[in-house]
Amino acid sequence: MTNKYIFTPGPVKISDDILAIGAKQTPYFRNNEFSKIVLECETNILKITNAPKNSRVLFFTASGTAAMEATVQNLLANDDKTLVINGGGFGQRFVDICKLHKKNHVNFKISNNNLQDTKPLEEYKNITNLLINAHETSIGLLYDLNSIGKFCKKNNILNIVDAISMFITDELDMQKFNIDALILSSQKGLALPPGISMIVLTPNAITKLQEQSSLYFDFQSYLADGLRGQTPFTPAVTILLQLHERLKQIVKTGVEQEILQAKEIAEYFRKAIEPLPLKLYSEYMPNAMTTLTPGDSKKASTIVNDLDQIYNIIVTPNGGELKDKIFRVSHMGAMTKEYTDILIDALYDYYKIKRKK
Amino acid sequence: MTNKYIFTPGPVKISDDILAIGAKQTPYFRNNEFSKIVLECETNILKITNAPKNSRVLFFTASGTAAMEATVQNLLANDDKTLVINGGGFGQRFVDICKLHKKNHVNFKISNNNLQDTKPLEEYKNITNLLINAHETSIGLLYDLNSIGKFCKKNNILNIVDAISMFITDELDMQKFNIDALILSSQKGLALPPGISMIVLTPNAITKLQEQSSLYFDFQSYLADGLRGQTPFTPAVTILLQLHERLKQIVKTGVEQEILQAKEIAEYFRKAIEPLPLKLYSEYMPNAMTTLTPGDSKKASTIVNDLDQIYNIIVTPNGGELKDKIFRVSHMGAMTKEYTDILIDALYDYYKIKRKK
């Protein structure tokens, strides 16, 4: 099972040096040595995201959804007016969370639009908060964070961005994009095992903190303990050690270089499959992922199954009404052209077309 | 940091074969192969805990505290009357959670009493639920789950047990002890990295489920997805693979044998240090851990620091008013007499006493 070729948007392919850390004894963590690790993780995340001065990072042992829910619970007052950009499964998840926690919100449904032109948002300029999934991973659409950030700044709106599926592969700059709170996760572009999610809070976001409504997801206690590099509860220590190493690598390489590499691989893949009966599904794809729709009568779900059964390759199926219409190919993680060629060659073989290199 | 000798109650020493799994690629998990892994984990946990027929296991990507909070949110009605056995830091945590979620409760403070005699509970026999930490890890006291289970059964009380720090090292039998809901965690007796917590629900507990109050910790959705071996959100896949292997080992060895081995090591340690100026702190210690108090003028916190600095050994300090009074030595995890000897020899050297073997 661990020997399959994976092109899924989490888990993603992990590099050998990061994997090796997973085989080390879990160290005791309530001491200065481990605090130093956590504080360095915070510093490097703030650097990579270009967070405003005095921003902070919270480390949660939980999936990305938990970080989404915790953010809604901690940053939204019940009578705030929040606009939720709902372009697919993850936008809908934000809507569900707002409903469950009785947060006043507008469910803004949208499709095939990256909001580079923010005119559709104009009638909501009196909202207090905006919630958006930078990369709506269910269909592979990347919103224009630059335009949306300008709209938020102009109208004094708290801009809360789930960047889980585009961090490290696509441009993300908290100051340039006027982002107030940012949600991240370990198992996507960071290419670590799943289990840790992170929230970056700017000083502005910190002023919006609500009364405690959960012990495990109380931002105040994470902020307080984080000052000395600790978490209120036992963290996924091993994944934090892997995060520490990975962040050091990214800072050393430069995140721009990482993004460029993801872009090259995405473009390489998209160009290579042009002769095949597969069409790009979205005009607004991130470097992180390519969403494809069959150009012939084949069902997307059949292609997904066949790639697994015949070629030992895992691409990502969709559910519901998109099941037969699209499938998704992730370029996140320790991806190379050589690894991508395994999928490209399999697709050529599958369609019985000879690949010209 | 990962080369220190650790005698902490989480993280604990992990065996080499389990660690090796940590270095494998994280596989895709939304498929039948991974579902099979999760379903086998469930079956083996139900077997090891001797859960009643039709019990279920929920797998959360989170620390044990999250499982404690989720259990309170999902199983306690606001107007239930819950007795919280508060014998230390973890009992207090249950009290804090009940307070935060406005659950009607009694804070039953207790010390140096394992409740083998349940007379002190008699005046509360009209309560609806009981919350207890089987091993109050902050001081190393093991409650008498057998007596408490009888009290609960006789009075028709929902018996909710946090067994995080005694599972696998001390006897735990859900049917014998009349336990309705059981909270477990990966990084204690199971000797895995931290990141996964589990809740075992009996059919009786399942009838008590409350209306959804959290998306991430909604028992109903975990129960529904768990039927096909899946979780509602991305799990800590690698730790689940390690759990799968570890549970297979325990079932093969027999949990009684694992408990016997923990007991032997705890007794070996306690006997070996008798000549030293260290006294056992509690009469009711589990096999999982030994709590010690200096019999001379040394401060416990000094001993903890010295063991780290001089011998590279991590034992567990206490905070607050117990800081100078006690320290704790865990026997959980992949422990052997040889590994325990490292600590024993260090203590003899520290006190400049010659050890007679």
Side-chain angles (χ1 to χ4, degrees):
Chain A
M1 185 166 62
T2 54
N3 291 324
K4 298 215 173 196
Y5 303 103
I6 52 171
F7 294 88
T8 51
V12 304
K13 190 167 179 289
I14 303 171
S15 69
D16 290 340
D17 51 343
I18 295 294
L19 282 176
I21 296 170
K24 295 200 176 204
Q25 283 292 343
T26 309
Y28 185 60
F29 58 96
R30 294 294 188 207
N31 55 21
N32 292 336
E33 280 166 287
F34 191 72
S35 290
K36 193 165 164 278
I37 299 279
V38 174
L39 290 171
E40 286 175 8
C41 285
E42 180 171 35
T43 301
N44 282 336
I45 288 174
L46 295 176
K47 194 179 292 180
I48 294 168
T49 57
N50 193 28
K53 204 180 158 191
N54 296 324
S55 294
R56 297 285 309 280
V57 183
L58 317 183
F59 298 90
F60 285 106
T61 295
S63 315
T65 298
M68 291 167 68
E69 185 168 29
T71 300
V72 167
Q73 286 183 262
N74 281 274
L75 294 186
L76 271 54
N78 291 353
D79 56 357
D80 275 357
K81 195 173 173 190
T82 300
L83 189 72
V84 187
I85 308 299
N86 180 357
F90 289 91
Q92 183 59 44
R93 189 166 292 176
F94 264 140
V95 171
D96 294 342
I97 292 169
C98 286
K99 259 190 209 162
L100 180 61
H101 293 284
K102 300 184 171 53
K103 304 292 184 186
N104 183 23
H105 68 284
V106 175
N107 179 356
F108 183 83
K109 288 203 179 185
I110 187 167
S111 72
N112 201 30
N113 184 340
N114 72 344
L115 291 171
Q116 184 180 9
D117 177 355
T118 55
K119 210 175 290 166
L121 301 180
E122 278 301 325
E123 65 170 303
Y124 302 103
K125 65 183 178 194
N126 292 324
I127 56 164
T128 48
N129 316 301
L130 185 135
L131 281 175
I132 190 163
N133 315 93
H135 167 202
E136 175 46 80
T137 327
S138 64
I139 52 161
L141 183 143
L142 185 74
Y143 291 104
D144 189 319
L145 294 183
N146 198 21
S147 296
I148 293 162
K150 280 183 184 143
F151 169 78
C152 288
K153 188 171 188 189
K154 190 175 140 203
N155 297 295
N156 194 25
I157 294 163
L158 193 80
N159 187 15
I160 302 172
V161 176
D162 155 18
I164 290 175
S165 290
M166 51 76 84
F167 183 46
I168 309 297
T169 57
D170 292 83
E171 190 189 5
L172 181 65
D173 183 316
M174 288 185 74
Q175 294 191 56
K176 180 174 169 190
F177 297 163
N178 296 306
I179 296 172
D180 295 295
L182 189 71
I183 300 167
L184 306 171
S185 193
S186 58
Q187 81 280 14
K188 308 275 178 174
L190 280 171
L192 306 171
I196 291 279
S197 59
M198 289 144 278
I199 297 155
V200 186
L201 296 178
T202 61
N204 186 35
I206 291 172
T207 66
K208 311 281 179 178
L209 288 184
Q210 301 298 304
E211 207 183 320
Q212 184 187 30
S213 64
S214 158
L215 185 70
Y216 194 66
F217 292 124
D218 178 31
F219 281 8
Q220 297 279 17
S221 64
Y222 283 82
L223 283 169
D225 288 6
L227 285 175
R228 52 186 174 88
Q230 288 288 325
T231 53
F233 312 109
T234 303
V237 175
T238 308
I239 303 175
L240 283 180
L241 292 179
Q242 292 172 310
L243 175 68
H244 180 250
E245 179 58 30
R246 177 75 171 112
L247 291 169
K248 279 204 300 188
Q249 291 173 0
I250 294 168
V251 167
K252 199 177 164 195
T253 312
V255 67
E256 303 76 12
Q257 188 55 38
E258 296 264 355
I259 292 168
L260 195 67
Q261 194 183 317
K263 184 178 162 73
E264 270 179 21
I265 286 172
E267 287 175 354
Y268 176 75
F269 175 74
R270 290 166 196 168
K271 179 140 189 63
I273 62 164
E274 273 175 4
L276 301 179
L278 289 167
K279 290 188 298 186
L280 302 181
Y281 180 67
S282 164
E283 296 170 57
Y284 310 111
M285 284 188 299
N287 302 324
M289 200 173 80
T290 299
T291 304
L292 295 169
T293 185
D296 58 9
S297 61
K298 272 211 168 62
K299 288 180 177 173
S301 59
T302 308
I303 300 171
V304 172
N305 285 332
D306 288 346
L307 285 172
D308 184 0
Q309 296 306 315
I310 308 173
Y311 303 98
N312 231 11
I313 290 172
I314 312 278
V315 297
T316 315
N318 270 57
E321 57 189 27
L322 289 173
K323 184 176 180 233
D324 294 332
K325 211 172 160 193
I326 63 173
F327 68 93
R328 293 167 290 156
V329 174
S330 163
H331 310 297
M332 291 185 277
M335 256 319 148
T336 59
K337 286 183 183 170
E338 292 67 35
Y339 194 85
T340 307
D341 273 334
I342 296 167
L343 171 58
I344 298 169
D345 288 338
L347 286 168
Y348 272 83
D349 185 72
Y350 184 61
Y351 285 109
K352 301 191 194 320
I353 294 176
K354 201 170 147 52
R355 180 180 179 193
K356 285 180 192 148
K357 289 208 194 191
Chain B
M1 186 166 60
T2 55
N3 292 325
K4 298 217 173 196
Y5 303 103
I6 52 169
F7 294 88
T8 50
V12 304
K13 190 167 178 287
I14 303 172
S15 69
D16 291 340
D17 51 342
I18 295 295
L19 282 175
I21 297 170
K24 295 197 176 209
Q25 283 291 342
T26 308
Y28 185 60
F29 58 96
R30 296 294 189 205
N31 57 19
N32 292 336
E33 282 166 286
F34 192 72
S35 290
K36 195 166 162 277
I37 299 279
V38 174
L39 291 170
E40 286 175 6
C41 286
E42 178 171 37
T43 302
N44 282 336
I45 288 174
L46 295 177
K47 194 180 288 180
I48 294 168
T49 56
N50 192 29
K53 205 180 158 191
N54 296 324
S55 293
R56 297 284 309 280
V57 183
L58 317 184
F59 298 91
F60 285 105
T61 296
S63 316
T65 297
M68 290 168 68
E69 185 169 30
T71 300
V72 166
Q73 287 183 263
N74 281 273
L75 294 186
L76 272 54
N78 290 354
D79 56 357
D80 276 357
K81 194 173 174 190
T82 300
L83 189 72
V84 186
I85 308 299
N86 180 357
F90 290 92
Q92 183 59 44
R93 189 166 293 178
F94 264 141
V95 170
D96 293 342
I97 293 168
C98 285
K99 259 189 209 161
L100 180 61
H101 293 285
K102 299 184 172 52
K103 305 291 183 185
N104 182 24
H105 68 284
V106 175
N107 178 357
F108 183 82
K109 288 205 178 182
I110 188 167
S111 73
N112 201 29
N113 184 341
N114 72 344
L115 291 171
Q116 183 180 8
D117 178 354
T118 56
K119 210 174 290 164
L121 301 180
E122 278 302 323
E123 66 170 304
Y124 302 102
K125 65 185 178 192
N126 292 325
I127 56 164
T128 48
N129 316 301
L130 185 136
L131 281 175
I132 190 164
N133 314 94
H135 168 200
E136 175 47 77
T137 326
S138 64
I139 52 161
L141 184 142
L142 185 73
Y143 291 105
D144 190 321
L145 293 183
N146 197 22
S147 296
I148 293 160
K150 280 182 183 143
F151 169 79
C152 287
K153 188 173 188 186
K154 191 175 141 206
N155 298 295
N156 195 26
I157 295 163
L158 194 80
N159 187 15
I160 302 173
V161 176
D162 153 19
I164 289 175
S165 290
M166 50 76 82
F167 182 46
I168 308 297
T169 57
D170 292 82
E171 189 189 7
L172 181 64
D173 183 317
M174 288 185 75
Q175 294 191 57
K176 181 175 168 191
F177 297 162
N178 297 306
I179 296 172
D180 295 295
L182 189 71
I183 300 166
L184 305 171
S185 194
S186 58
Q187 81 280 15
K188 309 273 177 171
L190 280 170
L192 306 171
I196 291 278
S197 60
M198 290 145 277
I199 296 155
V200 186
L201 296 178
T202 61
N204 185 35
I206 291 171
T207 67
K208 311 282 180 177
L209 288 184
Q210 302 299 305
E211 208 183 318
Q212 186 188 28
S213 63
S214 159
L215 185 70
Y216 195 66
F217 292 124
D218 178 30
F219 281 8
Q220 298 279 16
S221 64
Y222 283 82
L223 283 169
D225 288 6
L227 285 174
R228 54 187 174 87
Q230 288 289 325
T231 52
F233 313 108
T234 304
V237 175
T238 308
I239 304 175
L240 284 180
L241 292 179
Q242 292 173 309
L243 175 68
H244 181 250
E245 179 58 29
R246 176 75 172 115
L247 291 169
K248 279 204 301 186
Q249 292 174 358
I250 294 169
V251 167
K252 199 177 163 197
T253 313
V255 68
E256 302 77 11
Q257 187 56 40
E258 296 265 355
I259 292 168
L260 195 67
Q261 195 184 316
K263 185 179 162 72
E264 271 179 22
I265 286 172
E267 287 175 353
Y268 175 75
F269 176 74
R270 290 165 197 170
K271 179 140 188 62
I273 61 163
E274 274 175 5
L276 302 179
L278 289 166
K279 291 187 297 185
L280 303 181
Y281 179 67
S282 164
E283 296 170 57
Y284 310 111
M285 285 189 298
N287 301 324
M289 201 174 81
T290 299
T291 304
L292 294 168
T293 185
D296 58 9
S297 60
K298 273 211 167 64
K299 287 180 178 175
S301 59
T302 308
I303 300 172
V304 171
N305 284 333
D306 288 347
L307 285 172
D308 183 0
Q309 297 306 316
I310 308 173
Y311 303 98
N312 231 12
I313 289 173
I314 311 276
V315 297
T316 316
N318 271 56
E321 57 188 30
L322 290 173
K323 184 177 179 231
D324 294 332
K325 212 172 161 191
I326 63 174
F327 69 92
R328 294 167 290 156
V329 174
S330 164
H331 310 298
M332 292 185 277
M335 256 318 147
T336 58
K337 285 183 184 171
E338 292 66 35
Y339 194 85
T340 307
D341 273 334
I342 295 167
L343 172 58
I344 297 169
D345 288 338
L347 285 169
Y348 271 84
D349 185 71
Y350 184 60
Y351 285 109
K352 302 190 195 316
I353 294 176
K354 201 169 145 54
R355 181 178 179 194
K356 287 182 189 145
K357 291 208 193 189

